mmCIF file of all heavy atoms in Angstrom:
data_model
loop_
_atom_site.group_PDB
_atom_site.id
_atom_site.type_symbol
_atom_site.label_atom_id
_atom_site.label_comp_id
_atom_site.label_asym_id
_atom_site.label_seq_id
_atom_site.Cartn_x
_atom_site.Cartn_y
_atom_site.Cartn_z
ATOM 1 N N ILE A 1 0.844 -1.209 0.000
ATOM 2 C CA ILE A 1 0.000 0.000 0.000
ATOM 3 C C ILE A 1 0.871 1.249 0.000
ATOM 4 O O ILE A 1 0.613 2.212 -0.746
ATOM 5 C CB ILE A 1 -0.945 -0.011 1.212
ATOM 6 C CG1 ILE A 1 -1.991 -1.119 1.058
ATOM 7 C CG2 ILE A 1 -1.627 1.348 1.394
ATOM 8 C CD1 ILE A 1 -2.835 -1.348 2.288
ATOM 9 N N ARG A 2 1.913 1.237 0.835
ATOM 10 C CA ARG A 2 2.816 2.396 0.900
ATOM 11 C C ARG A 2 3.506 2.612 -0.446
ATOM 12 O O ARG A 2 3.648 3.761 -0.899
ATOM 13 C CB ARG A 2 3.857 2.165 1.997
ATOM 14 C CG ARG A 2 4.869 3.297 2.153
ATOM 15 C CD ARG A 2 4.199 4.600 2.521
ATOM 16 N NE ARG A 2 5.182 5.659 2.691
ATOM 17 C CZ ARG A 2 4.927 6.932 2.483
ATOM 18 N NH1 ARG A 2 3.710 7.331 2.097
ATOM 19 N NH2 ARG A 2 5.863 7.842 2.672
ATOM 20 N N ALA A 3 3.919 1.546 -1.108
ATOM 21 C CA ALA A 3 4.571 1.672 -2.413
ATOM 22 C C ALA A 3 3.632 2.318 -3.422
ATOM 23 O O ALA A 3 4.031 3.231 -4.169
ATOM 24 C CB ALA A 3 5.017 0.298 -2.896
ATOM 25 N N ARG A 4 2.401 1.871 -3.445
ATOM 26 C CA ARG A 4 1.444 2.433 -4.399
ATOM 27 C C ARG A 4 1.159 3.895 -4.115
ATOM 28 O O ARG A 4 0.957 4.698 -5.038
ATOM 29 C CB ARG A 4 0.170 1.591 -4.386
ATOM 30 C CG ARG A 4 0.382 0.215 -5.037
ATOM 31 C CD ARG A 4 -0.800 -0.695 -4.869
ATOM 32 N NE ARG A 4 -0.578 -1.972 -5.562
ATOM 33 C CZ ARG A 4 -1.172 -3.104 -5.257
ATOM 34 N NH1 ARG A 4 -2.063 -3.149 -4.251
ATOM 35 N NH2 ARG A 4 -0.897 -4.211 -5.920
ATOM 36 N N GLU A 5 1.133 4.264 -2.824
ATOM 37 C CA GLU A 5 0.948 5.675 -2.471
ATOM 38 C C GLU A 5 2.083 6.540 -2.995
ATOM 39 O O GLU A 5 1.888 7.709 -3.326
ATOM 40 C CB GLU A 5 0.843 5.819 -0.956
ATOM 41 C CG GLU A 5 -0.448 5.281 -0.367
ATOM 42 C CD GLU A 5 -0.450 5.290 1.155
ATOM 43 O OE1 GLU A 5 0.642 5.480 1.755
ATOM 44 O OE2 GLU A 5 -1.534 5.107 1.743
ATOM 45 N N LEU A 6 3.276 5.960 -3.078
ATOM 46 C CA LEU A 6 4.440 6.686 -3.579
ATOM 47 C C LEU A 6 4.602 6.591 -5.091
ATOM 48 O O LEU A 6 5.571 7.098 -5.651
ATOM 49 C CB LEU A 6 5.706 6.148 -2.897
ATOM 50 C CG LEU A 6 5.808 6.384 -1.385
ATOM 51 C CD1 LEU A 6 7.027 5.669 -0.810
ATOM 52 C CD2 LEU A 6 5.873 7.881 -1.079
ATOM 53 N N GLY A 7 3.650 5.921 -5.741
ATOM 54 C CA GLY A 7 3.714 5.788 -7.189
ATOM 55 C C GLY A 7 4.694 4.742 -7.672
ATOM 56 O O GLY A 7 5.128 4.757 -8.832
ATOM 57 N N VAL A 8 5.047 3.799 -6.790
ATOM 58 C CA VAL A 8 5.981 2.728 -7.150
ATOM 59 C C VAL A 8 5.188 1.536 -7.676
ATOM 60 O O VAL A 8 4.312 1.024 -6.978
ATOM 61 C CB VAL A 8 6.821 2.296 -5.930
ATOM 62 C CG1 VAL A 8 7.661 1.071 -6.265
ATOM 63 C CG2 VAL A 8 7.688 3.445 -5.449
ATOM 64 N N PRO A 9 5.459 1.072 -8.881
ATOM 65 C CA PRO A 9 4.771 -0.130 -9.375
ATOM 66 C C PRO A 9 5.184 -1.359 -8.569
ATOM 67 O O PRO A 9 6.336 -1.462 -8.133
ATOM 68 C CB PRO A 9 5.223 -0.244 -10.831
ATOM 69 C CG PRO A 9 6.495 0.535 -10.908
ATOM 70 C CD PRO A 9 6.401 1.621 -9.879
ATOM 71 N N VAL A 10 4.245 -2.265 -8.382
ATOM 72 C CA VAL A 10 4.480 -3.443 -7.547
ATOM 73 C C VAL A 10 4.125 -4.703 -8.328
ATOM 74 O O VAL A 10 3.089 -4.757 -8.990
ATOM 75 C CB VAL A 10 3.630 -3.390 -6.252
ATOM 76 C CG1 VAL A 10 3.837 -4.662 -5.420
ATOM 77 C CG2 VAL A 10 3.950 -2.146 -5.444
ATOM 78 N N LYS A 11 4.976 -5.697 -8.234
ATOM 79 C CA LYS A 11 4.675 -6.997 -8.822
ATOM 80 C C LYS A 11 4.896 -8.062 -7.751
ATOM 81 O O LYS A 11 5.961 -8.117 -7.120
ATOM 82 C CB LYS A 11 5.557 -7.290 -10.031
ATOM 83 C CG LYS A 11 5.219 -8.618 -10.723
ATOM 84 C CD LYS A 11 6.026 -8.811 -11.986
ATOM 85 C CE LYS A 11 5.698 -10.129 -12.677
ATOM 86 N NZ LYS A 11 4.292 -10.206 -13.109
ATOM 87 N N THR A 12 3.895 -8.904 -7.543
ATOM 88 C CA THR A 12 3.971 -9.969 -6.551
ATOM 89 C C THR A 12 4.245 -11.296 -7.242
ATOM 90 O O THR A 12 3.615 -11.621 -8.255
ATOM 91 C CB THR A 12 2.655 -10.070 -5.762
ATOM 92 O OG1 THR A 12 2.390 -8.818 -5.126
ATOM 93 C CG2 THR A 12 2.737 -11.170 -4.705
ATOM 94 N N ILE A 13 5.192 -12.055 -6.689
ATOM 95 C CA ILE A 13 5.521 -13.374 -7.221
ATOM 96 C C ILE A 13 5.285 -14.380 -6.091
ATOM 97 O O ILE A 13 6.004 -14.390 -5.089
ATOM 98 C CB ILE A 13 6.969 -13.430 -7.732
ATOM 99 C CG1 ILE A 13 7.170 -12.384 -8.845
ATOM 100 C CG2 ILE A 13 7.300 -14.827 -8.248
ATOM 101 C CD1 ILE A 13 8.594 -12.245 -9.326
ATOM 102 N N HIS A 14 4.281 -15.219 -6.255
ATOM 103 C CA HIS A 14 3.815 -16.092 -5.178
ATOM 104 C C HIS A 14 4.659 -17.356 -5.065
ATOM 105 O O HIS A 14 5.459 -17.690 -5.949
ATOM 106 C CB HIS A 14 2.346 -16.444 -5.395
ATOM 107 C CG HIS A 14 1.436 -15.264 -5.282
ATOM 108 N ND1 HIS A 14 1.009 -14.764 -4.076
ATOM 109 C CD2 HIS A 14 0.878 -14.466 -6.244
ATOM 110 C CE1 HIS A 14 0.217 -13.725 -4.279
ATOM 111 N NE2 HIS A 14 0.138 -13.520 -5.585
ATOM 112 N N ASN A 15 4.432 -18.058 -3.938
ATOM 113 C CA ASN A 15 5.141 -19.316 -3.705
ATOM 114 C C ASN A 15 4.340 -20.129 -2.693
ATOM 115 O O ASN A 15 3.306 -19.680 -2.197
ATOM 116 C CB ASN A 15 6.563 -19.047 -3.190
ATOM 117 C CG ASN A 15 7.551 -20.130 -3.585
ATOM 118 O OD1 ASN A 15 7.224 -21.315 -3.538
ATOM 119 N ND2 ASN A 15 8.759 -19.737 -3.962
ATOM 120 N N ALA A 16 4.830 -21.319 -2.395
ATOM 121 C CA ALA A 16 4.171 -22.171 -1.403
ATOM 122 C C ALA A 16 4.315 -21.579 -0.008
ATOM 123 O O ALA A 16 5.305 -20.920 0.306
ATOM 124 C CB ALA A 16 4.778 -23.568 -1.429
ATOM 125 N N SER A 17 3.320 -21.812 0.827
ATOM 126 C CA SER A 17 3.388 -21.421 2.235
ATOM 127 C C SER A 17 2.805 -22.545 3.065
ATOM 128 O O SER A 17 2.218 -23.501 2.539
ATOM 129 C CB SER A 17 2.611 -20.122 2.480
ATOM 130 O OG SER A 17 1.218 -20.377 2.526
ATOM 131 N N ILE A 18 2.918 -22.430 4.376
ATOM 132 C CA ILE A 18 2.359 -23.459 5.244
ATOM 133 C C ILE A 18 0.851 -23.550 5.065
ATOM 134 O O ILE A 18 0.247 -24.609 5.313
ATOM 135 C CB ILE A 18 2.725 -23.185 6.729
ATOM 136 C CG1 ILE A 18 2.390 -24.388 7.613
ATOM 137 C CG2 ILE A 18 2.038 -21.910 7.222
ATOM 138 C CD1 ILE A 18 3.124 -25.649 7.265
ATOM 139 N N MET A 19 0.226 -22.468 4.592
ATOM 140 C CA MET A 19 -1.227 -22.453 4.437
ATOM 141 C C MET A 19 -1.702 -23.461 3.391
ATOM 142 O O MET A 19 -2.823 -23.971 3.491
ATOM 143 C CB MET A 19 -1.708 -21.049 4.048
ATOM 144 C CG MET A 19 -1.338 -19.978 5.054
ATOM 145 S SD MET A 19 -2.257 -20.108 6.595
ATOM 146 C CE MET A 19 -3.835 -19.440 6.099
ATOM 147 N N ASN A 20 -0.875 -23.749 2.398
ATOM 148 C CA ASN A 20 -1.267 -24.801 1.448
ATOM 149 C C ASN A 20 -0.432 -26.075 1.605
ATOM 150 O O ASN A 20 -0.925 -27.174 1.393
ATOM 151 C CB ASN A 20 -1.224 -24.307 -0.010
ATOM 152 C CG ASN A 20 0.078 -23.681 -0.405
ATOM 153 O OD1 ASN A 20 1.131 -23.975 0.154
ATOM 154 N ND2 ASN A 20 0.034 -22.792 -1.391
ATOM 155 N N ALA A 21 0.819 -25.930 2.052
ATOM 156 C CA ALA A 21 1.666 -27.112 2.216
ATOM 157 C C ALA A 21 1.206 -27.993 3.371
ATOM 158 O O ALA A 21 1.623 -29.160 3.452
ATOM 159 C CB ALA A 21 3.120 -26.684 2.426
ATOM 160 N N ILE A 22 0.338 -27.493 4.224
ATOM 161 C CA ILE A 22 -0.180 -28.317 5.317
ATOM 162 C C ILE A 22 -0.977 -29.500 4.764
ATOM 163 O O ILE A 22 -1.226 -30.485 5.473
ATOM 164 C CB ILE A 22 -1.041 -27.473 6.289
ATOM 165 C CG1 ILE A 22 -1.204 -28.173 7.637
ATOM 166 C CG2 ILE A 22 -2.392 -27.130 5.667
ATOM 167 C CD1 ILE A 22 0.080 -28.338 8.402
ATOM 168 N N GLY A 23 -1.317 -29.442 3.496
ATOM 169 C CA GLY A 23 -1.947 -30.581 2.834
ATOM 170 C C GLY A 23 -1.081 -31.829 2.854
ATOM 171 O O GLY A 23 -1.577 -32.942 2.631
ATOM 172 N N ALA A 24 0.222 -31.670 3.150
ATOM 173 C CA ALA A 24 1.117 -32.825 3.276
ATOM 174 C C ALA A 24 0.686 -33.761 4.399
ATOM 175 O O ALA A 24 1.076 -34.928 4.426
ATOM 176 C CB ALA A 24 2.551 -32.363 3.516
ATOM 177 N N THR A 25 -0.131 -33.272 5.324
ATOM 178 C CA THR A 25 -0.647 -34.112 6.401
ATOM 179 C C THR A 25 -1.673 -35.121 5.915
ATOM 180 O O THR A 25 -2.036 -36.044 6.645
ATOM 181 C CB THR A 25 -1.305 -33.246 7.488
ATOM 182 O OG1 THR A 25 -2.391 -32.500 6.896
ATOM 183 C CG2 THR A 25 -0.307 -32.290 8.111
#
């Protein structure tokens, strides 16, 4: 949010997290 307020373009590159890797159980 702060970056966008300053006019900085933002690109997000996702990855695995415990929120989906918990499926290993």
Side-chain angles (χ1 to χ4, degrees):
I1 292 171
R2 179 61 179 152
R4 289 172 177 156
E5 289 173 347
L6 295 174
V8 173
V10 177
K11 183 175 180 62
T12 302
I13 301 174
H14 294 279
N15 209 319
S17 78
I18 191 61
M19 301 289 283
N20 53 26
I22 199 65
T25 60

